[in-house]
Amino acid sequence: CQVTHTRRSGPGGQHRNKVSTAVVLKHTPTQITASASEARSQQQNLVSAYSRLRLRFALLLRTERTSGPTTLWNSRCKGGKIAINE
């Protein structure tokens, strides 16, 4: 992961404009990015960004679809219906 600390604009006044508390994480193999800039602490933003990156990575892994049904699906389908209890 690449960790970048940046400044963010918006409400918060002088403290937000001069302190680099925003965190941007980038997972290099998948090019997934996550950022956090809500808290005034860099450490809290880092924890938030890591949790967001983990969530996006998990969603990417769970939503990948292969072509066609799996062998488990085919083993449970009998006569065009799914057998729940055998």
Side-chain angles (χ1 to χ4, degrees):
C1 282
Q2 293 177 348
V3 180
T4 308
H5 302 285
T6 60
R7 283 179 251 172
R8 295 294 170 128
S9 61
Q14 183 180 7
H15 176 76
R16 183 168 179 139
N17 295 334
K18 72 177 186 176
V19 179
S20 298
T21 56
V23 177
V24 178
L25 297 174
K26 182 177 182 180
H27 186 252
T28 50
T30 57
Q31 301 298 320
I32 298 174
T33 60
S35 62
S37 63
E38 293 83 24
R40 291 182 66 162
S41 167
Q42 193 178 67
Q43 188 65 30
Q44 289 175 345
N45 286 332
L46 185 65
V47 170
S48 296
Y50 269 119
S51 66
R52 289 177 187 164
L53 185 68
R54 287 176 54 207
L55 177 69
R56 289 182 182 163
F57 193 66
L59 287 173
L60 175 74
L61 291 177
R62 290 179 184 176
T63 57
E64 284 183 353
R65 298 286 180 194
T66 59
S67 59
T70 62
T71 55
L72 178 64
W73 179 265
N74 288 332
S75 69
R76 292 190 179 189
C77 286
K78 294 179 181 176
K81 296 182 180 180
I82 299 174
I84 299 173
N85 295 327
E86 294 183 32

